[in-house]
Amino acid sequence: MATLQDIGLAAAINILSAIIFLVLFAILRLQPMNDRVYFPKWYLKGLRGSPSRSGAFVGQFVNLDFRSYLRFLNWMPEALKMPELELIDHAGLDSTVYLRIYLLGLKIFVPITLLAWVILVPVNWTNNMLDGDNVIFSSIDKLSVSNIPLKSHRFWAHIIMAYIFTFWTCYVLRKEYETVASMRLHFLASERRRPDQFTVLVRNVPPDPDESVSELVEHFFLVNHPDNYLIHQVVYNANKLAKLVKEKKSKQNWLDYYELKYSRNQSKRPVKKTGFLGLCGEKVDAIDFETSEIKRLSKEITEERERVIMDPKSIMPTAFVSFKSRWGAAVCAQTQQSRDPTAWLTEWAPEPRDVYWQNLAIPYVQLTIKRLIIAVAFFFLTFFFMIPIAFVQSLANIEGIEKKLSFLKVIIEVPFIKSLIQGVLPGLALKLFLMFLPAILMLMSKFEGFISISSLERRSASRFYIFSFVNVFLGSIIAGTAFEQLNSFAKQSANQIPKTIGVAIPMKATFFITYIMVDGWAGIAGEILRLKPLIFYHLKNFFLVKTEKDREEAMDPGSLGFNTGEPQIQLYFLLGLVYAVVTPLLLPFILVFFGFAYLVFRHQIINVYNQEYESGAAFWPDVHGRVITALVISQVLLMGLIGTKEAAQSTPFLIALPILTIAFHRFCKGRYEPAFIRYPLQEAMMKDTLEHAREPNLNLKGYLQNAYIHPVFKACNEDEDEDGDGEFNKNWGEESVLVPTKRQSRRNTPVPSKVSANSSPPYSLPDVVEEHMQP
């Protein structure tokens, strides 16, 4: 059981760690050689030049202006200066709205903290319930509801505060939902032209024995969308080709490394072993070996690319279909296309940067099976993680198991060691156990077959939140209570155990306080230091970089990581709402997290992160829904807790809270959520009309022609362009592959087909290839 001394030691260690990280960051960011690590976003925008190009030799690497070190905390006010509208233009709506989650936490918990400390803390402290109970407790627990006697009238204070906290939280949530929905609609209306505004993803195209997928898609949309259809791009299964291209890039990096190494010391040619990870096998000349491997891979890439293009089996029953207007795309994306509801499925296409191309090659019929498999796997992952959670709680509750391991008592009872174990190690151990979880959950989401990075991150975030609730929150409470009250459980009858658990639940606030300090204080400070990208950048810079382009590729700006950051925030919402009435001592620690994290991530978004995609804040309904879930959980737990206190006359008044909260959620869902899942036809028509007036001669077909070409083909084009042999691929990317058709009738097509106007196409694929290959 952590005491005030343990919390104090944990706070000192984590505050000191955070200060060390911040000081190191403030110094490292001033060094010219680290400029690309701490300001990569400005380099990517072309608005910042490398400071290492001028000045004295030492000054190219180390900042010799000692006056700048006196202003080492200037990054804090600078991070707050950029207005929100400018931030949207600079970093996008996703990043800006993500920051508003931290502001939402501050808006909710600042008034709640003040009220809880002014009203509930004195009510809890001025009792002596725990002194007479047969449970282990500390002085901190006297601040919690556990210290209120059974059947006490003081529970009315907690019930009234629960109503006030609920109404305030719902009020702030509604205002924020309204604001973000308005920001999204304004962003979509004022946003520059993007390919996804005109494009729909069509899946589960039914097979046709007489027509190729490309012909079938074209003819279907010429018939059913004759006035709006523009072009389409079929989807190829190029996963093997992508692996070859990735392998070639890796080999090229190794070749660059060995050539750079040889240029520095030409007295000896570098050698390497050809076996596993270069640890075994025959020794060969490294430069010659990597060169031969690159030639081999180039040949395989050419053969595989031709196979993908020529083989009809490589074409998936999926296509990106683009329209002449946003209105036409909105009509198609938001309507059923055929009488068979399982065929010709349409949805808004992700923006090109957001497409996860590997999953487009998964047949649609496999998705249900894959998601069932992952649901079962996730259940077992969640269940078996209870084992390390129990271990963490054993660290947090030394007194509960001391009698079982008496030989450790001498060491444990040393004050400093005991405070370190109970105040620091539990939160640190839990943080370490959770370190690899996001990667596992992301792999699960990829296996399920989601076709955009944003949807992958949202699904992974959803699972992370469920996992955190079951294991981090409920698991810690259940396992911790069991360890803490072993002695009480052994002496009490079975019908008294629920009451003991009810008393002990608020006591777990001390464990969550230590976790918040490790994860939310020191962890956030470690985020701004960017130690891993710093080390990797300098390693790449030393071993691989030969040109300015190489140096730019060595930068790792990273991104927000919605799948890891948002569930972390939601855990703090859950803890704050649950313990606001139960143990208000926890609230100031959460306020520090929200304020500090807002400052740090605002700086990172302005200077570092380069977001992979822009979804227009499509994730906000998930954020809202999880805060509502946390609010309902807090209300149900409070009902159960007061029920164990035998306050039967006051408990029924809490039943209305979850009912009102769920009704509020349904209101918000109906009022604001459509803005995040549909695109109003009125807005689409308005934007189309304005664009036609401003750019009457816009070549929309040329703009959309190459937008949804698989990136691996673009990579092949770039490689072949460097070798002077990329003409075929350029032309291939500019028009759809022409596939001969066996169908003789064109009576269903209202206008001549661009693929085949007569009974047979004007050109066959070999003719096109031959034409493109001619000089």
Side-chain angles (χ1 to χ4, degrees):
M1 173 65 65
T3 64
L4 189 60
Q5 179 183 353
D6 302 335
I7 298 296
L9 178 64
I13 291 175
N14 285 286
I15 290 173
L16 181 62
S17 301
I19 291 174
I20 291 173
F21 290 153
L22 291 176
V23 171
L24 284 174
F25 160 72
I27 295 173
L28 290 172
R29 70 188 286 269
L30 296 175
Q31 310 311 315
M33 63 179 181
N34 299 329
D35 205 57
R36 288 179 179 269
V37 177
Y38 293 110
F39 300 96
K41 189 158 194 169
W42 298 102
Y43 282 92
L44 293 173
K45 286 179 171 286
L47 300 175
R48 192 179 182 96
S50 177
S52 61
R53 292 181 176 177
S54 59
F57 177 76
V58 177
Q60 294 180 2
F61 303 96
V62 180
N63 187 353
L64 300 177
D65 182 9
F66 294 101
R67 290 175 298 179
S68 64
Y69 292 94
L70 300 177
R71 303 186 298 272
F72 71 97
L73 292 179
N74 277 7
W75 68 270
M76 293 185 179
E78 288 174 0
L80 300 173
K81 281 183 180 178
M82 185 177 288
E84 190 171 67
L85 290 177
E86 186 179 343
L87 186 62
I88 293 174
D89 184 62
H90 174 71
L93 187 64
D94 279 346
S95 299
T96 306
V97 171
Y98 183 86
L99 287 175
R100 292 189 70 94
I101 305 177
Y102 295 105
L103 288 179
L104 177 67
L106 291 174
K107 292 175 183 177
I108 289 174
F109 288 113
V110 167
I112 287 178
T113 302
L114 293 175
L115 281 174
W117 275 79
V118 170
I119 297 174
L120 294 181
V121 168
V123 169
N124 295 336
W125 180 260
T126 55
N127 286 277
N128 56 359
M129 171 68 178
L130 292 175
D131 293 333
D133 266 0
N134 187 27
V135 292
I136 299 171
F137 70 94
S138 71
S139 57
I140 294 176
D141 299 316
K142 289 190 174 183
L143 297 174
S144 74
V145 73
S146 296
N147 201 34
I148 304 294
L150 300 178
K151 302 180 181 180
S152 173
H153 292 291
R154 295 195 178 198
F155 285 117
W156 283 107
H158 300 82
I159 293 172
I160 292 172
M161 285 296 103
Y163 270 91
I164 293 174
F165 295 166
T166 296
F167 290 157
W168 172 251
T169 302
C170 290
Y171 171 77
V172 174
L173 280 174
R174 191 195 69 80
K175 296 291 290 185
E176 198 67 19
Y177 213 152
E178 184 178 28
T179 301
V180 174
S182 176
M183 291 172 66
R184 173 179 167 84
L185 291 175
H186 183 267
F187 177 79
L188 294 176
S190 61
E191 190 182 21
R192 291 184 291 270
R193 185 188 310 113
R194 289 194 333 193
D196 54 293
Q197 297 170 349
F198 300 87
T199 306
V200 167
L201 177 64
V202 183
R203 307 187 74 176
N204 216 25
V205 176
D208 190 301
D210 295 327
E211 287 189 324
S212 66
V213 173
S214 182
E215 286 182 311
L216 192 59
V217 169
E218 181 194 23
H219 297 154
F220 180 86
F221 284 95
L222 281 173
V223 169
N224 297 287
H225 298 267
D227 299 326
N228 296 301
Y229 168 74
L230 184 62
I231 57 172
H232 73 277
Q233 175 60 57
V234 295
V235 174
Y236 292 85
N237 184 353
N239 289 350
K240 182 179 178 181
L241 179 60
K243 290 179 182 178
L244 291 172
V245 172
K246 183 179 180 181
E247 185 180 356
K248 180 183 176 182
K249 184 177 180 181
S250 174
K251 296 292 184 183
Q252 185 63 52
N253 286 338
W254 278 111
L255 179 61
D256 293 342
Y257 163 70
Y258 288 124
E259 287 180 342
L260 194 59
K261 183 179 180 180
Y262 180 61
S263 67
R264 292 172 178 170
N265 181 16
Q266 297 189 2
S267 61
K268 183 179 179 182
R269 297 270 294 184
V271 296
K272 68 169 292 183
K273 293 182 178 180
T274 59
F276 178 71
L277 296 177
L279 301 175
C280 58
E282 180 186 359
K283 280 189 176 181
V284 295
D285 183 285
I287 295 178
D288 291 342
F289 177 78
E290 299 298 346
T291 301
S292 64
E293 286 292 293
I294 290 173
K295 289 181 179 179
R296 175 184 64 82
L297 288 169
S298 296
K299 183 179 179 182
E300 290 184 15
I301 287 171
T302 301
E303 294 173 353
E304 176 64 17
R305 181 193 60 213
E306 292 177 355
R307 187 196 69 78
V308 169
I309 295 173
M310 302 292 291
D311 186 4
K313 294 181 180 178
S314 296
I315 301 177
M316 305 303 298
T318 304
F320 290 100
V321 180
S322 297
F323 295 82
K324 298 175 183 177
S325 64
R326 296 173 182 82
W327 186 91
V331 170
C332 181
Q334 297 167 177
T335 55
Q336 182 174 316
Q337 300 304 307
S338 73
R339 65 180 63 181
D340 182 359
T342 64
W344 297 102
L345 303 177
T346 57
E347 60 184 284
W348 279 108
E351 67 159 314
R353 294 179 303 167
D354 192 19
V355 177
Y356 189 70
W357 293 94
Q358 292 91 320
N359 281 355
L360 285 175
I362 299 175
Y364 188 81
V365 294
Q366 293 183 11
L367 296 182
T368 302
I369 299 174
K370 283 176 172 286
R371 289 174 187 177
L372 178 61
I373 293 172
I374 290 300
V376 175
F378 178 68
F379 171 80
F380 283 104
L381 174 68
T382 305
F383 178 78
F384 283 111
F385 204 84
M386 283 288 185
I387 298 172
I389 289 293
F391 170 73
V392 169
Q393 288 304 319
S394 70
L395 294 177
N397 303 286
I398 298 297
E399 290 89 344
I401 60 172
E402 232 177 20
K403 293 181 181 180
K404 303 293 182 182
L405 302 172
S406 57
F407 61 93
L408 294 176
K409 188 173 182 178
V410 177
I411 300 175
I412 291 174
E413 287 301 324
V414 176
F416 176 78
I417 295 178
K418 186 175 182 179
S419 296
L420 183 67
I421 291 175
Q422 296 193 137
V424 178
L425 285 187
L428 183 61
L430 183 58
K431 176 73 174 174
L432 293 175
F433 278 127
L434 294 174
M435 186 177 297
F436 300 103
L437 181 64
I440 296 172
L441 296 179
M442 181 57 75
L443 286 175
M444 286 183 168
S445 298
K446 290 177 179 178
F447 182 82
E448 285 184 284
F450 291 95
I451 52 94
S452 66
I453 299 172
S454 58
S455 59
L456 286 171
E457 291 195 344
R458 288 201 296 272
R459 171 53 69 95
S460 182
S462 176
R463 288 228 164 92
F464 200 167
Y465 177 73
I466 295 171
F467 187 93
S468 298
F469 171 69
V470 173
N471 280 298
V472 179
F473 182 70
L474 288 182
S476 296
I477 288 176
I478 295 170
T481 301
F483 275 113
E484 226 166 62
Q485 309 301 336
L486 283 176
N487 188 44
S488 297
F489 288 169
K491 294 180 179 179
Q492 288 178 349
S493 60
N495 61 347
Q496 292 296 313
I497 291 178
K499 189 175 91 169
T500 303
I501 293 177
V503 173
I505 284 176
M507 299 179 186
K508 292 313 300 173
T510 54
F511 165 74
F512 290 120
I513 287 172
T514 64
Y515 177 74
I516 291 169
M517 288 189 289
V518 171
D519 183 63
W521 295 8
I524 295 298
E527 171 68 26
I528 201 171
L529 183 59
R530 288 176 55 78
L531 189 59
K532 180 181 174 182
L534 178 68
I535 294 172
F536 274 81
Y537 170 76
H538 286 299
L539 287 175
K540 291 178 181 178
N541 200 30
F542 183 79
F543 290 112
L544 297 176
V545 169
K546 293 188 295 185
T547 65
E548 193 65 24
K549 182 181 178 182
D550 295 336
R551 185 169 288 105
E552 183 173 313
E553 290 179 352
M555 293 190 304
D556 180 20
S559 60
L560 277 173
F562 182 82
N563 59 309
T564 56
E566 196 267 347
Q568 177 198 39
I569 304 171
Q570 291 297 341
L571 178 62
Y572 294 121
F573 274 108
L574 176 64
L575 294 176
L577 292 171
V578 167
Y579 282 99
V581 178
V582 174
T583 310
L585 177 66
L586 181 137
L587 292 174
F589 295 89
I590 286 182
L591 284 182
V592 172
F593 162 75
F594 279 117
F596 184 42
Y598 174 75
L599 178 67
V600 167
F601 281 101
R602 206 173 203 276
H603 173 274
Q604 300 295 82
I605 285 171
I606 292 173
N607 298 299
V608 181
Y609 296 145
N610 184 42
Q611 198 63 7
E612 293 182 75
Y613 58 85
E614 177 59 62
S615 69
F619 56 80
W620 190 259
D622 295 334
V623 175
H624 176 89
R626 286 196 265 273
V627 176
I628 289 291
T629 301
L631 192 57
V632 173
I633 290 170
S634 70
Q635 295 159 355
V636 173
L637 289 179
L638 181 62
M639 278 194 290
L641 181 59
I642 293 183
T644 64
K645 292 288 190 175
E646 300 180 9
Q649 74 280 8
S650 55
T651 305
F653 289 91
L654 289 171
I655 296 176
L657 275 180
I659 297 173
L660 292 173
T661 304
I662 293 172
F664 165 77
H665 176 60
R666 290 178 63 85
F667 163 77
C668 289
K669 188 178 180 69
R671 175 65 179 84
Y672 303 113
E673 189 173 348
F676 294 86
I677 58 178
R678 298 189 186 95
Y679 190 34
L681 294 180
Q682 182 185 23
E683 293 286 337
M685 181 61 75
M686 189 183 305
K687 199 168 178 64
D688 288 333
T689 304
L690 287 174
E691 187 171 75
H692 291 157
R694 292 171 181 170
E695 301 177 73
N697 298 319
L698 172 65
N699 181 14
L700 187 59
K701 183 175 181 179
Y703 172 73
L704 296 171
Q705 193 90 43
N706 299 323
Y708 286 96
I709 297 293
H710 197 299
V712 74
F713 294 114
K714 295 179 181 179
C716 291
N717 293 345
E718 292 174 2
D719 289 343
E720 294 203 352
D721 287 344
E722 293 176 2
D723 299 332
D725 189 27
E727 186 65 26
F728 166 71
N729 287 290
K730 285 182 180 179
N731 287 291
W732 179 88
E734 291 175 1
E735 55 184 276
S736 300
V737 177
L738 305 183
V739 183
T741 179
K742 299 177 181 178
R743 179 170 291 183
Q744 300 300 312
S745 173
R746 286 289 175 263
R747 288 176 297 180
N748 291 333
T749 304
V751 295
S753 168
K754 66 181 179 183
V755 175
S756 51
N758 302 311
S759 61
S760 61
Y763 301 100
S764 66
L765 183 59
D767 293 335
V768 175
V769 174
E770 183 178 356
E771 178 185 340
H772 286 167
M773 294 299 289
Q774 291 177 355

